[in-house]
Amino acid sequence: MSGAPDPAAVASVTRTWEGRAARYDRYYRAYAEAGRDVWRALYRDAIAALLGPAEPPLRVLDVGTGTGFAAVLLAELGHEVTGMDASERMLTGARAEAARRGVTIRWRHGDGHTPPEGPYDLVTCRYVLWTLPTPEAALAAWARALRPAGAVLIADGLWHTARQLLRFPRLLPGAARDYLGMGRTLPYWRGITAPQTAALLRPAGFGPPRHFEHLMPPRQHRDSRDFFIIGAGREK
């Protein structure tokens, strides 16, 4: 398993998301309430399937929280949420979003390879795994931050394939910025597939993966080819 990520790679990724923070904030401020309802219900049902019918609050760590979309939804479900991100600008947007929605969330500045001390019941990441220079090391760190019966829940997909960019040319400028900003520092720059993610989970300390993308209407993930949502329990 790979060790700590190259600090220069982490810095490069952070600079990219610092530059995109304002655009992400605008996008999620305008996100349809129906879309938020779908994602909230998905988190509710996936958490119940992974961790059983436990009453909230669960301790949840949302890695790469961005402008707080998932963290806020998890807090609205009644959970005790910590949102972390390497971009201070993203966290500024996240704090404002939490205030608008009337929820309380702990915010931590840091990259996905060094989670805050747990233990947590659940670690979530949404469209984050592909952005990590050493995702296998990050997953192992998340496993260590979980309680023995905890779980991870990952949403991701392929984002920068030629087929996708031809189908959605509006994505091309952002893809070019990502590539120029992060260079070849990421092993999964074009995105990551469900089988690739499953292969990373076991050596990081997780059990067999469970799929939850069937809970999401296709229209909600039309920008990704091979979109997936995978959960797995920490091996005791």
Side-chain angles (χ1 to χ4, degrees):
M1 180 176 296
S2 298
D6 177 1
V10 173
S12 178
V13 172
T14 301
R15 284 194 300 271
T16 296
W17 297 118
E18 284 277 284
R20 299 188 71 182
R23 185 159 68 90
Y24 265 68
D25 190 42
R26 289 193 298 270
Y27 177 79
Y28 282 111
R29 281 181 185 240
Y31 203 82
E33 288 300 312
R36 296 183 76 256
D37 292 343
V38 167
W39 274 99
R40 190 188 305 104
L42 182 145
Y43 282 123
R44 180 197 64 211
D45 296 344
I47 289 170
L50 287 168
L51 298 175
E55 290 294 323
L58 298 174
R59 292 193 68 193
V60 182
L61 173 64
D62 186 44
V63 178
T65 195
T67 52
F69 179 80
V72 167
L73 295 179
L74 290 159
E76 288 175 344
L77 288 171
H79 300 302
E80 183 181 298
V81 183
T82 298
M84 70 173 296
D85 203 279
S87 166
E88 289 280 15
R89 290 180 182 176
M90 287 285 195
L91 289 174
T92 296
R95 291 185 183 97
E97 174 66 4
R100 281 194 298 273
R101 300 288 179 176
V103 294
T104 300
I105 297 171
R106 294 185 178 91
W107 304 107
R108 296 291 184 270
H109 179 243
D111 77 89
H113 304 84
T114 54
E117 184 177 356
Y120 297 96
D121 300 294
L122 179 72
V123 173
T124 60
C125 71
R126 182 175 178 270
Y127 311 157
V128 170
L129 200 64
W130 72 272
T131 72
L132 299 176
T134 55
E136 61 274 32
L139 284 165
W142 303 351
R144 292 190 296 270
L146 285 166
R147 64 176 172 86
V152 68
L153 185 61
I154 300 166
D156 224 310
L158 293 177
W159 307 104
H160 297 142
T161 65
R163 176 181 174 184
Q164 181 197 19
L165 294 174
L166 287 172
R167 185 180 178 192
F168 300 104
R170 65 182 176 77
L171 300 176
L172 187 57
R177 282 192 299 270
D178 287 350
Y179 189 75
L180 293 172
M182 293 184 282
R184 298 183 182 275
T185 62
L186 304 180
Y188 299 103
W189 178 82
R190 285 183 172 83
I192 191 167
T193 66
Q196 287 170 329
T197 299
L200 294 173
L201 285 169
R202 180 56 65 88
F206 292 97
R210 300 179 61 180
H211 283 261
F212 297 102
E213 59 268 13
H214 63 280
L215 299 175
M216 178 70 63
R219 66 180 181 278
Q220 293 298 132
H221 52 83
R222 62 186 183 276
D223 284 351
S224 168
R225 183 178 169 227
D226 298 330
F227 171 88
F228 67 87
I229 303 173
I230 286 179
R234 176 186 167 184
E235 289 195 323
K236 299 178 183 179

